């Protein structure tokens, strides 16, 4: 927690990442095992493609806003 305060991170997203991260990693591994390691699974379905695009827009917006 000290490092989070030193680097001036918001604690809520960090805690969410620590809690949800292992689950996301497990389900990503399962999905890739089912498809044989094919990442196109995430681009073929409209819902997953929309979530990827929205995530990318949020990341880009955050980087541009900080600069």
């Amino acid at each position: 927690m000290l490092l989070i305060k030193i680097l001036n991170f918001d604690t809520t997203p960090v805690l969410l990442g620590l809690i949800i991260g292992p689950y996301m990693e497990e389900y990503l591994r399962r999905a890739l095992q089912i498809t044989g390691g094919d990442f196109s699974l995430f681009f073929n379905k409209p819902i997953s493609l929309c979530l990827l695009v929205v995530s990318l827009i949020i990341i880009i917006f955050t980087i541009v806003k900080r600069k």
Side-chain angles (χ1 to χ4, degrees):
M1 287 304 251
L2 181 63
L3 186 62
I4 293 172
K5 291 190 184 254
I6 290 172
L7 295 176
N8 200 20
F9 285 146
D10 191 14
T11 55
T12 306
V14 172
L15 289 176
L16 278 173
L18 288 173
I19 294 169
I20 297 174
Y23 294 109
M24 291 180 64
E25 186 177 344
E26 173 69 23
Y27 288 114
L28 173 65
R29 186 180 60 78
R30 285 185 189 181
L32 291 176
Q33 281 181 339
I34 291 170
T35 62
D38 186 18
F39 277 97
S40 67
L41 165 77
F42 301 109
F43 302 107
N44 291 338
K45 306 288 182 184
I47 292 176
S48 61
L49 183 61
C50 287
L51 288 174
L52 284 172
V53 169
V54 168
S55 298
L56 188 62
I57 290 171
I58 290 172
I59 290 170
I60 291 172
F61 180 74
T62 303
I63 291 171
V64 168
K65 186 178 175 185
R66 285 191 181 193
K67 289 185 178 188

